[in-house]
Amino acid sequence: MLSRVADGLYWMGRYVERAENVARLVDINLQLMLDAPAQQAALMSKNWLPIVACFGDEAEFRKKHANAEVQDVIDFIVFDRSHTNSVVGSLCEARENARTIREQITTEMWEELNRTYLWLTSKSARQAFERNQYDFFQRIIQTMQLFGGITNTTMLHGEAWDFIQMGKHLERADKTTRILDAEFHLMKQCGKNTGDSLLQWLSVLRMCSARQTYQRIYGAGVQPVKVAELLLLNADLPRSVLFCMRHADDSLRRISGVAPGRFSNRAEQLSGRFLSELTFSRIDEIYSKGLHKAMDDLQIRFNQISAEFYSTYIYHPEPEIIISPEPVQQQQVQVQ
């Protein structure tokens, strides 16, 4: 497969997943403000900066907005096309990548992605947001889920499909840790006494579509450490870090044909080692580091695997051109 094609498939998978996760994050935080006591909701509405900071875009945001109130942050991470951590920016990049690899994806995939792009970049999308924010975000989330379903049911499950899955699962694992990190910061800022933090942890579960699963496994009482355990170490929850890394590792091995337990490149080595550590980790060990530091460490591991994967399959640095020195005799002639 050409590097250009692998690049387009990988990033299309990442950007589609990113758009859905950002939409989930904004949607649930807006709902949380409706559910929270008035004082806490007022405090939250004036500072959404932790949500921007969790994507690493704080400096860029500060260049454009003096305040970090709800509307400023929504404009930046939903409608701003100038960066790829916004919903619209991610969708534009996903569509552009899909356009360059039309021959590798199915017509149904292209039509769904293009239809969503045209709607989201039109005036009617902004009007839909102002009319009903919940419906607006639900439409984005459901469209991205529909695209995932179309991909799985219409595309050949070969090498190209695995590049998309690799991008999707790395992005999803990364965003799960960022959601945990962002909500942890918001909780610290609003104070974690009384039952307010309960609402916030419930919102984390809802962001990851894991509320019913949590109740089925742990019962009705919501405890932060158990929420973290479910979202990080559960092997069967589609949005848990362990689940995502297992599927990313499977994709890596299908691409190279190397059996589990072995590796043929640096990406497989890092992925296999990380997967083993996660599989045999306990939540109290992760929690004892501090949730913020633990999430930072996980994000560094994702970035390392992504960089090595990119280096192995997509980016090939240009060989260094060695200019041989001119013959000594010729140099002497020139001097003369």
Side-chain angles (χ1 to χ4, degrees):
M1 178 181 292
L2 294 174
S3 295
R4 174 188 65 80
V5 174
D7 185 43
L9 292 163
Y10 175 72
W11 281 109
M12 182 186 71
R14 287 203 74 147
Y15 284 130
V16 167
E17 187 65 28
R18 184 175 302 177
E20 181 189 337
N21 279 278
V22 175
R24 282 172 178 272
L25 186 63
V26 178
D27 179 37
I28 298 296
N29 274 288
L30 286 171
Q31 291 183 49
L32 178 63
M33 286 170 56
L34 298 176
D35 294 336
Q39 188 178 1
Q40 185 188 359
L43 189 61
M44 288 173 62
S45 69
K46 292 179 181 174
N47 189 6
W48 270 33
L49 197 58
I51 294 175
V52 177
C54 83
F55 296 125
D57 287 333
E58 189 174 348
E60 191 64 26
F61 176 82
R62 286 296 190 195
K63 291 179 188 172
K64 299 181 178 180
H65 300 277
N67 301 314
E69 296 186 7
V70 176
Q71 196 55 51
D72 300 313
V73 173
I74 286 177
D75 284 342
F76 184 74
I77 64 173
V78 177
F79 294 104
D80 193 334
R81 292 181 63 165
S82 66
H83 64 99
T84 56
N85 279 332
S86 71
V87 175
V88 175
S90 297
L91 251 297
C92 290
E93 288 298 318
R95 190 253 189 191
E96 181 58 22
N97 278 285
R99 189 185 63 78
T100 63
I101 51 167
R102 284 285 304 275
E103 73 283 1
Q104 294 290 329
I105 62 176
T106 62
T107 304
E108 291 86 349
M109 290 168 66
W110 166 252
E111 288 179 350
E112 186 57 36
L113 200 52
N114 194 43
R115 188 181 302 119
T116 308
Y117 163 80
L118 292 175
W119 172 71
L120 205 52
T121 53
S122 69
K123 287 183 181 175
S124 61
R126 190 79 191 207
Q127 291 166 350
F129 172 79
E130 289 168 0
R131 191 166 51 246
N132 189 321
Q133 295 173 350
Y134 175 78
D135 285 348
F136 172 79
F137 287 113
Q138 285 304 305
R139 178 169 175 175
I140 294 172
I141 293 167
Q142 288 169 7
T143 302
M144 295 300 96
Q145 290 175 334
L146 177 61
F147 178 79
I150 290 172
T151 302
N152 288 338
T153 52
T154 64
M155 190 175 181
L156 186 70
H157 286 209
E159 195 177 47
W161 184 80
D162 275 316
F163 273 97
I164 297 174
Q165 299 307 305
M166 183 68 190
K168 179 178 87 172
H169 285 110
L170 268 184
E171 184 70 26
R172 184 178 292 178
D174 180 78
K175 287 295 173 287
T176 297
T177 63
R178 290 180 190 274
I179 286 171
L180 271 172
D181 201 15
E183 294 305 314
F184 178 69
H185 272 282
L186 281 173
M187 229 171 304
K188 280 175 67 179
Q189 150 192 310
C190 298
K192 49 185 177 182
N193 53 353
T194 71
D196 297 347
S197 62
L198 173 66
L199 279 175
Q200 212 127 1
W201 283 111
L202 277 172
S203 74
V204 171
L205 291 171
R206 286 162 60 196
M207 270 181 232
C208 299
S209 301
R211 184 174 177 180
Q212 283 80 18
T213 304
Y214 179 91
Q215 290 173 339
R216 212 167 289 139
I217 296 174
Y218 300 104
V222 177
Q223 297 179 28
V225 68
K226 290 181 178 175
V227 173
E229 182 179 54
L230 179 67
L231 297 182
L232 296 176
L233 301 179
N234 189 289
D236 301 316
L237 182 73
R239 292 193 171 274
S240 81
V241 172
L242 178 57
F243 180 96
C244 292
M245 287 313 304
R246 186 162 289 169
H247 283 259
D249 192 68
D250 288 346
S251 293
L252 266 178
R253 295 181 189 288
R254 282 194 295 269
I255 290 170
S256 67
V258 172
R262 297 176 180 275
F263 62 89
S264 62
N265 56 57
R266 179 80 173 144
E268 289 171 357
Q269 182 190 18
L270 290 177
S271 173
R273 182 185 295 162
F274 183 38
L275 183 58
S276 297
E277 290 176 14
L278 276 176
T279 303
F280 295 101
S281 289
R282 289 165 50 95
I283 192 59
D284 51 351
E285 296 168 351
I286 296 173
Y287 225 72
S288 64
K289 295 181 187 174
L291 197 55
H292 174 62
K293 183 175 185 320
M295 296 306 99
D296 269 356
D297 290 346
L298 290 177
Q299 287 155 22
I300 290 170
R301 304 290 288 272
F302 301 143
N303 290 341
Q304 288 172 341
I305 294 169
S306 176
E308 293 298 338
F309 174 76
Y310 208 78
S311 171
T312 303
Y313 291 107
I314 299 172
Y315 173 70
H316 300 289
E318 293 181 6
E320 186 180 355
I321 299 174
I322 301 173
I323 302 174
S324 58
E326 296 177 2
V328 175
Q329 186 177 2
Q330 187 179 355
Q331 286 179 341
Q332 289 171 346
V333 170
Q334 287 177 346
V335 170
Q336 288 173 351

